[in-house]
Amino acid sequence: MCIETAENSTVDSADISVLLVDDEPNILRALRRVLRREDYRLLTANNGEEALVVMQTEPVDLVVSDSRMPGMDGAELLSRIQQHWPECRRLMLTGHADLTSTIRAINEGQIYRYITKPWSDDDLRLTLRQALEHQQAERERRRLEALTQEQNRELALLNAHLEERVQARTRELQQVADMLELAYGELKRSYVTATQVFSALISQRLPRNLQTNTQVRDLVKAYADTHHFDEELKQSLMMAASLYNLGKMTWNDQLLATPSDRLSTQDRETYQRYPVAGEGLLMALDYLEDTASIIRHHRERWNGSGYPDRLKGEEIPYGARLLGLAVDFIELQRGLVLQRRLPRDDALKLLRKLSGRVYEPEMCEAFITLCIEQAPDLGMGGDQVRSLDTRRLEPGMILVRDLHSESGMLLLNEGKQLTRDLIERLVRFEETEGTRYVLWVKLPDGDPE
């Protein structure tokens, strides 16, 4: 039980034992009456000998002893208690001007305080509370001191081997850092590869003549390489080009095959939600945050008439502007925008016509120039790049364009170095599928062919 005093001190009195020692029963009764509301566990003794017996058999926190008693007086009793139970607080009651006895009690019994008779009840209660609070504070001090000493011993043991352990740990961390650096590089490459595989799976949902992701990706890569994009933006764009159709996967076959300018009002609303749906499906993947943003905004228009957020001009993320150009260029030729398929040159003319309204003018002109100068094999220029069938492949050649099966499944990703075993497996796969593949490869350095 916690008892609060008018002086704002608190004493947990429920487990506190107080021993009252006096040879006069009236005094003991008076003391018990004064302290009965304090909820202490009160013990009594009529003389010093009885008090010592109680001390030996009961836990006692505080002793209040009369100074003058027959036989053993208060000073001697408190002195013995101090010797054997030094943590017990000691108070003396004195009703006589006995300076010698009081000094002896202070010196030998090291009493906390003496109280004169007759006493003030309030002063007596306050004095006991203060004595017990002081005792509890001293116990806590000793506990913390012991804890500090133990912690210091442990710290000394740790410090004895700290330098050696730090050096060993530093070596371990350096090894881990080196491994993480390698793993991170591989992980970034695997992100791109994973999105390409997923893109191939998306393509299986579409008819062969409507599969556009690979062509869009080639266009984006060619533009990024030509304009020397930083690696982070390039990777985000490549993944966005691979996954931009993700939000269409819940559409029915009729909606997938209907040109966007022929959609009904209801279907047009569904169509215009696909960028947001694609972003939502990627939202849980933190490393695809930029990719998701590009997908969300690739249908915005330079004049602010696009969707979903009607962004205007440079409010549209740079990557989204480029992806929108590439998507429209390919989908115009596939019949996914207009009811008829536009020839390549007509698609380029339409892009130029819409420059400044749908597309950023400067980017649109650079994109058209790229398509004209590098057509039909975007990004494949250079004397060391060849288009070869599987029978002409050699170990060491590096694939510079993703290889897809007839069904659109990704077989090998760009950057893969060919080995003898891999080439043989490709040949066997062709025989099984009853088809022939042509691969765009970079020749090994020093091989002019």
Side-chain angles (χ1 to χ4, degrees), residues 64-82:
V64 180
S65 174
D66 187 22
S67 61
R68 290 203 171 195
M69 294 183 294
M72 185 186 304
D73 64 9
E76 183 178 355
L77 170 64
L78 297 179
S79 176
R80 291 193 184 185
I81 291 175
Q82 192 278 331

Side-chain angles (χ1 to χ4, degrees), residues 246 274-284 292 296:
L246 186 60
Y274 91 84
V276 176
E279 179 201 35
L281 291 170
L282 301 177
M283 192 173 297
R296 178 184 179 92

Side-chain angles (χ1 to χ4, degrees), residues 92-374:
M92 176 177 282
L93 281 174
T94 176
H96 305 278
D98 189 348
L99 182 60
T100 301
S101 176
T102 302
I103 292 173
R104 203 169 115 232
I106 293 173
N107 292 338
E108 298 179 8
Q110 299 180 22
I111 64 173
Y112 175 75
R113 192 169 298 174
Y114 68 89
I115 304 169
T116 58
K117 299 178 184 177
W119 60 76
S120 164
D121 291 351
D122 290 338
D123 288 346
L124 177 62
R125 285 191 287 264
L126 177 60
T127 299
L128 263 65
R129 292 174 192 167
Q130 291 175 339
L132 291 167
E133 288 174 355
H134 185 271
Q135 179 188 63
Q136 291 179 350
E138 182 64 19
R139 287 173 176 171
E140 181 64 11
R141 183 193 65 78
R142 287 197 296 270
R143 185 189 72 81
L144 293 175
E145 184 178 280
L147 177 61
T148 300
Q149 291 175 351
E150 178 62 25
Q151 291 175 339
N152 286 339
R153 284 193 293 270
E154 294 177 359
L155 184 59
L157 290 174
L158 289 173
N159 286 338
H161 304 288
L162 182 59
E163 184 175 353
E164 179 181 347
R165 293 172 62 185
V166 167
Q167 292 176 351
R169 184 59 176 161
T170 300
R171 290 192 296 270
E172 292 176 5
L173 289 175
Q174 185 58 52
Q175 293 173 355
V176 171
D178 293 342
M179 293 174 63
L180 286 176
E181 186 175 356
L182 292 172
Y184 181 65
E186 188 62 32
L187 184 61
K188 289 197 294 185
R189 289 189 291 272
S190 70
Y191 287 159
V192 177
T193 302
T195 56
Q196 293 172 33
V197 172
F198 195 45
S199 175
L201 293 175
I202 293 174
S203 295
Q204 301 307 299
R205 177 71 179 83
L206 304 170
R208 179 65 178 170
N209 64 316
L210 301 181
Q211 296 176 9
T212 59
N213 297 69
T214 300
Q215 288 71 34
V216 170
R217 183 175 177 276
D218 284 345
L219 278 169
V220 168
K221 181 180 184 302
Y223 192 97
D225 289 342
T226 302
H227 292 80
H228 308 290
F229 284 10
D230 66 73
E231 192 61 29
E232 186 174 350
L233 175 57
K234 181 179 175 181
Q235 286 196 357
S236 295
L237 271 166
M238 300 290 283
M239 290 188 284
S242 296
L243 301 175
Y244 83 93
N245 271 330
L246 186 60
K248 299 179 181 180
M249 292 304 97
T250 58
W251 293 2
N252 58 40
D253 292 342
Q254 180 181 354
L255 182 56
L256 284 171
T258 303
S260 58
D261 73 332
R262 306 295 297 176
L263 294 172
S264 65
T265 301
Q266 181 177 355
D267 286 344
R268 186 174 298 278
E269 291 177 356
T270 300
Y271 180 89
Q272 292 183 351
R273 287 196 296 269
Y274 91 84
V276 176
E279 179 201 35
L281 291 170
L282 301 177
M283 192 173 297
L285 304 174
D286 292 340
Y287 62 87
L288 290 181
E289 181 179 356
D290 292 339
T291 298
S293 177
I294 291 172
I295 291 174
R296 178 184 179 92
H297 297 297
H298 78 279
R299 284 304 182 187
E300 305 285 358
R301 293 182 174 180
W302 189 249
N303 63 4
S305 63
Y307 53 87
D309 300 317
R310 294 191 174 276
L311 300 184
K312 182 178 181 180
E314 294 188 358
E315 294 176 349
I316 306 169
Y318 186 83
R321 301 176 220 167
L322 176 57
L323 180 60
L325 265 168
V327 168
D328 283 351
F329 180 56
I330 297 299
E331 291 192 351
L332 281 167
Q333 298 176 73
R334 295 296 181 90
L336 292 173
V337 180
L338 304 175
Q339 190 171 11
R340 66 185 183 89
R341 295 187 178 191
L342 286 186
R344 178 187 180 86
D345 290 343
D346 289 349
L348 291 173
K349 289 177 182 178
L350 183 57
L351 294 186
R352 181 172 277 122
K353 181 179 179 180
L354 296 175
S355 177
R357 285 184 292 166
V358 177
Y359 314 115
E360 176 192 348
E362 184 177 347
M363 178 182 286
C364 184
E365 189 59 36
F367 182 85
I368 292 171
T369 299
L370 172 81
C371 292
I372 293 173
E373 292 180 353
Q374 297 197 29

Side-chain angles (χ1 to χ4, degrees), residues 19 21-22 28 44-57 72 77:
L19 174 58
V21 186
D22 201 297
L28 289 177
T44 59
N46 295 316
N47 52 59
E49 287 77 7
E50 286 185 14
L52 292 176
V53 172
V54 173
M55 292 294 298
Q56 292 171 353
T57 57
M72 185 186 304
L77 170 64

